[in-house]
Amino acid sequence: MYVLGIETSCDETGVAIYHPERGLINHLLYSQVEMHSEYGGVVPELASRDHIRKLVPLIKQSLQESQLNSADIKGIAYTAGPGLMGALLVGAATARSLAWAWQIPAIAVHHMEGHLLAPMLEANPPEFPFVALLISGGHTLLVKVEGIGHYRLLGESLDDAAGEAFDKTAKMLGLGYPGGPKLTALAEHGEPQIRFPRPMTDRPGLDFSFSGLKTFALNIINALELDPNKTAQDKANVAAAFQQAVAETLSIKCKRALQQTGLKRLVVAGGVSANKQIRSYLAEMTTKEHAQIYFPRLEFCTDNGAMIAYAGCQRLMAGQQQSLEIFARPRWPISELH
Ligand code: KG4
Ligand code: ZN
């Protein structure tokens, strides 16, 4: 059963083909990053228009590269939310139309479920149950995962998502969009001499708050602007200290989540999980907490079609059916899934 996956929730057009026995057959990604970087962030209307231009050619290319034709595809999985409404509608309408034309089922996939299941595409996938830390541009979630569709929210960000904090702090440092990877590159040349707070770690609970880190960074950057002796090194030091604070805060909360649930397996996914320092802080839990940590490969940390094809395939194999409605939800809590 070949399943076509379509991801268009934000600024990446992702297409993939997955087969339950043969694994991932093909995946293609077109990133709009260059187009949006001119504006310093994602422009929703431009994102939708570019998905319209790129999606169908990418689907054709994916079929060609896989040496499959449309008759081989037995289901279509598309990201139905959360995300930018216009961008989601491009993927949803295309998926539904192709499914109608090809007389096969289409299934609406939750974007964060896609991220959460991305490590399943690796050679050594985690077994259920596990705790998942999902860190992306729009979400920071800790979830107890008993199985596909069995998600209990343990904690979430009360304000900015981890990726959003990276992006905003990068902007304040004068780095372009997308900020996460740029801030990380700068941090490599810096020393974390400034002590940023570790928000919400001094009280019980598994929620996060990252907007304070951003404000803390802003105050330091503003002070630096006025300092006649400032150097490029100072900015790198701010980036390093910020990144370390995020990494340590995430690892404190993950440790707590494992303790609270009594679980030993931790899945870390979403765009921010590509961050080297965050990966290494969390990987330390392997020795210190005897935990097993699972990450997607780097290219599947950020948005991609492979995770959507995988998630949709699991749901289709479980017999899930949906009406012919074009389903898109810009806001969609993961705890509403079943
Ligand atoms: O999962 P994703 O591709 O899209 C959403 O679902 O939001 O995540 C994008 C986020 C952005 O905020 C981006 O800056 C951040 O992930 N990101 C990173 C890194 N790579 C991407 N943040 C920190 N370090 C990175 N290496
Ligand atoms: Zn994402």
Side-chain angles (χ1 to χ4, degrees):
M1 172 178 176
Y2 291 101
V3 173
L4 174 70
I6 294 174
E7 157 63 36
T8 63
S9 66
C10 190
D11 59 349
E12 322 270 2
T13 318
V15 167
I17 297 175
Y18 179 83
H19 187 280
E21 278 105 49
R22 294 187 56 206
L24 186 63
I25 307 295
N26 178 268
H27 74 97
L28 298 171
L29 190 77
Y30 176 80
S31 176
Q32 305 177 351
V33 157
E34 213 179 302
M35 178 180 71
H36 296 294
S37 63
E38 206 181 308
Y39 304 92
V42 179
V43 184
E45 178 61 22
L46 293 184
S48 318
R49 292 185 199 183
D50 216 37
H51 287 308
I52 292 173
R53 277 192 289 268
K54 298 295 181 336
L55 183 54
V56 171
L58 275 183
I59 294 171
K60 281 185 180 163
Q61 186 184 339
S62 187
L63 285 169
Q64 249 169 23
E65 287 183 11
S66 314
Q67 297 184 330
L68 298 171
N69 59 49
S70 56
D72 298 313
I73 303 295
K74 300 297 178 222
I76 304 183
Y78 66 94
T79 302
L84 302 171
M85 190 54 165
L88 291 169
L89 278 172
V90 177
T94 307
R96 271 273 155 239
S97 311
L98 285 176
W100 175 261
W102 296 347
Q103 291 295 295
I104 55 173
I107 194 109
V109 172
H110 191 290
H111 181 77
M112 298 313 287
E113 177 175 72
H115 277 304
L116 189 157
L117 297 176
M120 297 294 188
L121 291 162
E122 302 308 321
N124 211 350
E127 281 173 28
F128 298 115
F130 54 76
V131 169
L133 170 70
L134 304 178
I135 35 181
S136 70
H139 296 84
T140 301
L141 307 172
L142 265 169
V143 185
K144 183 179 175 192
V145 181
E146 305 266 11
I148 290 173
H150 295 269
Y151 307 129
R152 191 160 69 78
L153 189 65
L154 302 171
E156 64 186 324
S157 179
L158 304 178
D159 41 56
D160 290 353
E164 193 179 355
F166 264 94
D167 293 339
K168 288 178 176 171
T169 305
K171 205 169 196 171
M172 294 187 296
L173 284 165
L175 310 170
Y177 162 85
K182 293 201 167 156
L183 188 145
T184 304
L186 181 63
E188 275 178 24
H189 305 287
E191 287 298 327
Q193 292 163 347
I194 311 153
R195 175 78 190 172
F196 272 65
R198 273 56 175 157
M200 296 186 75
T201 54
D202 58 351
R203 66 193 91 160
L206 295 171
D207 286 333
F208 302 89
S209 164
F210 289 110
S211 72
L213 284 185
K214 183 188 63 190
T215 314
F216 193 87
L218 181 65
N219 290 335
I220 296 170
I221 295 163
N222 284 343
L224 268 181
E225 296 300 331
L226 299 174
D227 183 351
N229 300 318
K230 66 173 179 289
T231 63
Q233 185 63 43
D234 292 325
K235 276 194 175 180
N237 291 348
V238 174
F242 167 84
Q243 181 175 258
Q244 190 193 48
V246 176
E248 206 181 325
T249 303
L250 292 172
S251 92
I252 292 169
K253 294 285 174 162
C254 285
K255 211 175 291 173
R256 220 179 257 180
L258 291 183
Q259 272 162 7
Q260 196 171 305
T261 55
L263 295 174
K264 287 284 174 200
R265 281 183 291 269
L266 175 71
V267 159
V268 187
V272 183
S273 69
N275 184 285
K276 264 197 242 157
Q277 191 175 25
I278 292 175
R279 283 171 100 98
S280 80
Y281 263 72
L282 291 169
E284 276 177 19
M285 290 166 64
T286 316
T287 40
K288 289 194 189 151
E289 317 296 317
H290 305 292
Q292 293 137 281
I293 321 281
Y294 301 85
F295 296 98
R297 72 191 81 165
L298 283 181
E299 64 182 327
F300 293 163
C301 288
T302 40
D303 293 349
N304 64 85
M307 65 186 196
I308 303 303
Y310 178 85
C313 184
Q314 304 310 308
R315 288 185 167 272
L316 286 167
M317 286 196 305
Q320 187 174 336
Q321 290 178 356
Q322 275 174 352
S323 71
L324 294 178
E325 172 195 13
I326 292 171
F327 183 75
R329 263 184 85 172
R331 289 181 185 278
W332 187 6
I334 195 167
S335 50
E336 285 183 15
L337 289 181
H338 40 244

